[in-house]
Amino acid sequence: RLALPRHLLVQSASISACERSGQWQAAVSLLGGMPDHQLSADTVSCNAAISACQKGKSWQLSWNLLSSMAWRRVESDVVSACAATSALELEANWCLALTTLRHLSAASLRANEISYNAVGSACARSGEWRSVLRLLMAMSAT
Protein backbone atom coordinates (compact mmCIF):
# COMPACT_ATOMS: atom_id res chain seq x y z
CA ARG A 1 0.00 0.00 0.00
CA LEU A 2 1.29 3.42 -0.96
CA ALA A 3 1.80 5.80 1.94
CA LEU A 4 0.42 9.26 1.20
CA PRO A 5 1.03 12.36 3.27
CA ARG A 6 -1.71 12.79 5.85
CA HIS A 7 -2.48 16.32 4.63
CA LEU A 8 -3.06 15.06 1.08
CA LEU A 9 -5.50 12.45 2.38
CA VAL A 10 -7.38 15.08 4.39
CA GLN A 11 -7.53 17.46 1.42
CA SER A 12 -8.74 14.72 -0.95
CA ALA A 13 -11.33 13.56 1.59
CA SER A 14 -12.53 17.16 1.97
CA ILE A 15 -12.93 17.53 -1.79
CA SER A 16 -14.84 14.24 -1.92
CA ALA A 17 -17.11 15.42 0.91
CA CYS A 18 -17.83 18.62 -1.05
CA GLU A 19 -18.66 16.49 -4.09
CA ARG A 20 -21.10 14.33 -2.15
CA SER A 21 -22.80 17.35 -0.60
CA GLY A 22 -23.19 19.24 -3.87
CA GLN A 23 -20.69 21.95 -2.98
CA TRP A 24 -18.84 22.07 -6.31
CA GLN A 25 -17.50 25.61 -5.77
CA ALA A 26 -15.91 24.55 -2.47
CA ALA A 27 -14.44 21.43 -4.11
CA VAL A 28 -12.80 23.53 -6.84
CA SER A 29 -11.55 26.01 -4.25
CA LEU A 30 -9.98 23.25 -2.18
CA LEU A 31 -8.32 21.76 -5.25
CA GLY A 32 -7.00 25.15 -6.32
CA GLY A 33 -5.70 25.86 -2.83
CA MET A 34 -3.63 22.69 -2.55
CA PRO A 35 -0.36 24.36 -3.67
CA ASP A 36 -0.81 26.93 -0.86
CA HIS A 37 -0.39 24.01 1.55
CA GLN A 38 2.56 22.53 -0.38
CA LEU A 39 0.31 19.77 -1.67
CA SER A 40 0.10 18.49 -5.22
CA ALA A 41 -3.23 17.38 -6.62
CA ASP A 42 -3.53 13.71 -7.41
CA THR A 43 -5.93 11.69 -9.55
CA VAL A 44 -8.36 11.14 -6.66
CA SER A 45 -8.62 14.82 -5.73
CA CYS A 46 -8.99 15.91 -9.37
CA ASN A 47 -11.63 13.25 -10.04
CA ALA A 48 -13.61 14.34 -7.00
CA ALA A 49 -13.54 17.97 -8.15
CA ILE A 50 -14.52 17.01 -11.72
CA SER A 51 -17.40 14.90 -10.36
CA ALA A 52 -18.50 17.76 -8.10
CA CYS A 53 -18.63 20.09 -11.10
CA GLN A 54 -20.52 17.48 -13.11
CA LYS A 55 -23.10 17.14 -10.35
CA GLY A 56 -23.28 20.92 -10.12
CA LYS A 57 -23.98 21.08 -13.88
CA SER A 58 -20.84 23.10 -14.51
CA TRP A 59 -19.66 21.33 -17.66
CA GLN A 60 -17.12 24.04 -18.56
CA LEU A 61 -15.35 23.63 -15.24
CA SER A 62 -15.47 19.83 -15.50
CA TRP A 63 -13.84 20.02 -18.92
CA ASN A 64 -11.26 22.59 -17.75
CA LEU A 65 -10.33 20.45 -14.75
CA LEU A 66 -9.91 17.38 -16.94
CA SER A 67 -7.77 19.39 -19.35
CA SER A 68 -5.70 20.84 -16.50
CA MET A 69 -4.68 17.42 -15.22
CA ALA A 70 -1.92 17.21 -17.85
CA TRP A 71 -0.20 20.45 -16.85
CA ARG A 72 -0.67 19.55 -13.19
CA ARG A 73 1.21 16.35 -14.07
CA VAL A 74 -1.68 14.30 -12.73
CA GLU A 75 -2.59 11.13 -14.57
CA SER A 76 -6.20 11.06 -15.70
CA ASP A 77 -8.12 7.82 -15.76
CA VAL A 78 -11.45 6.43 -16.91
CA VAL A 79 -13.18 7.97 -13.88
CA SER A 80 -11.85 11.42 -14.86
CA ALA A 81 -13.11 11.06 -18.41
CA CYS A 82 -16.48 9.59 -17.41
CA ALA A 83 -17.20 12.43 -14.99
CA ALA A 84 -16.29 15.09 -17.55
CA THR A 85 -18.19 13.30 -20.33
CA SER A 86 -21.29 13.01 -18.14
CA ALA A 87 -21.17 16.77 -17.57
CA LEU A 88 -20.87 17.34 -21.32
CA GLU A 89 -23.80 14.98 -21.92
CA LEU A 90 -26.08 17.17 -19.81
CA GLU A 91 -25.20 20.15 -21.97
CA ALA A 92 -25.45 18.11 -25.21
CA ASN A 93 -21.90 19.19 -26.04
CA TRP A 94 -21.26 16.31 -28.43
CA CYS A 95 -18.03 17.70 -29.90
CA LEU A 96 -16.18 17.93 -26.57
CA ALA A 97 -17.72 14.63 -25.46
CA LEU A 98 -16.20 12.93 -28.51
CA THR A 99 -12.90 14.68 -27.81
CA THR A 100 -12.95 13.29 -24.28
CA LEU A 101 -13.52 9.81 -25.66
CA ARG A 102 -10.53 10.26 -27.98
CA HIS A 103 -8.51 11.42 -24.96
CA LEU A 104 -9.12 8.03 -23.37
CA SER A 105 -7.83 6.26 -26.43
CA ALA A 106 -4.79 8.54 -26.69
CA ALA A 107 -3.99 7.86 -23.04
CA SER A 108 -4.21 4.11 -23.69
CA LEU A 109 -7.29 3.89 -21.50
CA ARG A 110 -10.31 1.84 -22.46
CA ALA A 111 -13.67 3.58 -22.60
CA ASN A 112 -16.43 1.90 -20.66
CA GLU A 113 -20.20 1.73 -20.99
CA ILE A 114 -20.67 4.92 -18.96
CA SER A 115 -18.43 6.98 -21.21
CA TYR A 116 -19.93 5.55 -24.42
CA ASN A 117 -23.45 6.15 -23.11
CA ALA A 118 -22.70 9.76 -22.13
CA VAL A 119 -21.11 10.53 -25.50
CA GLY A 120 -23.96 8.82 -27.36
CA SER A 121 -26.54 10.81 -25.39
CA ALA A 122 -24.73 14.08 -26.05
CA CYS A 123 -24.64 13.29 -29.77
CA ALA A 124 -28.30 12.22 -29.84
CA ARG A 125 -29.44 15.35 -27.98
CA SER A 126 -27.66 17.43 -30.60
CA GLY A 127 -29.15 15.53 -33.53
CA GLU A 128 -25.76 14.07 -34.42
CA TRP A 129 -27.16 10.66 -35.33
CA ARG A 130 -24.24 9.87 -37.67
CA SER A 131 -21.87 10.29 -34.76
CA VAL A 132 -24.04 7.94 -32.70
CA LEU A 133 -23.84 5.32 -35.45
CA ARG A 134 -20.05 5.65 -35.65
CA LEU A 135 -19.88 5.35 -31.88
CA LEU A 136 -21.98 2.17 -31.95
CA MET A 137 -19.72 0.68 -34.62
CA ALA A 138 -16.63 1.58 -32.55
CA MET A 139 -18.19 -0.05 -29.49
CA SER A 140 -18.94 -3.26 -31.34
CA ALA A 141 -15.36 -3.38 -32.62
CA THR A 142 -13.95 -3.40 -29.08
Side-chain angles (χ1 to χ4, degrees), residues 114-135:
I114 296 169
S115 54
Y116 277 122
N117 185 51
V119 173
S121 290
C123 291
R125 287 179 185 209
S126 301
E128 289 293 323
W129 61 270
R130 287 182 183 94
S131 295
V132 174
L133 289 177
R134 284 193 291 273
L135 190 61

Side-chain angles (χ1 to χ4, degrees), residues 23-116:
Q23 302 297 317
W24 64 270
Q25 297 99 331
V28 172
S29 179
L30 285 169
L31 183 69
M34 289 180 81
D36 297 340
H37 302 285
Q38 288 75 45
L39 296 172
S40 297
D42 64 356
T43 304
V44 172
S45 57
C46 286
N47 286 353
I50 292 169
S51 292
C53 292
Q54 180 261 328
K55 290 175 183 172
K57 296 179 176 57
S58 181
W59 69 267
Q60 295 100 333
L61 207 43
S62 288
W63 172 253
N64 288 342
L65 287 172
L66 177 65
S67 300
S68 76
M69 289 176 79
W71 64 260
R72 290 177 191 261
R73 293 193 170 103
V74 175
E75 190 173 320
S76 60
D77 60 11
V78 174
V79 174
S80 317
C82 283
T85 305
S86 293
L88 294 166
E89 170 196 2
L90 296 173
E91 198 56 36
N93 195 326
W94 65 275
C95 190
L96 282 181
L98 282 171
T99 300
T100 305
L101 200 58
R102 287 188 201 102
H103 166 79
L104 281 173
S105 180
S108 299
L109 297 170
R110 187 164 183 219
N112 62 15
E113 294 82 14
I114 296 169
S115 54
Y116 277 122

Side-chain angles (χ1 to χ4, degrees), residues 6-24:
R6 177 172 286 153
H7 298 301
L8 179 60
L9 291 174
V10 170
Q11 197 78 354
S12 293
S14 298
I15 294 169
S16 292
C18 290
E19 172 206 351
R20 287 189 300 278
S21 64
Q23 302 297 317
W24 64 270

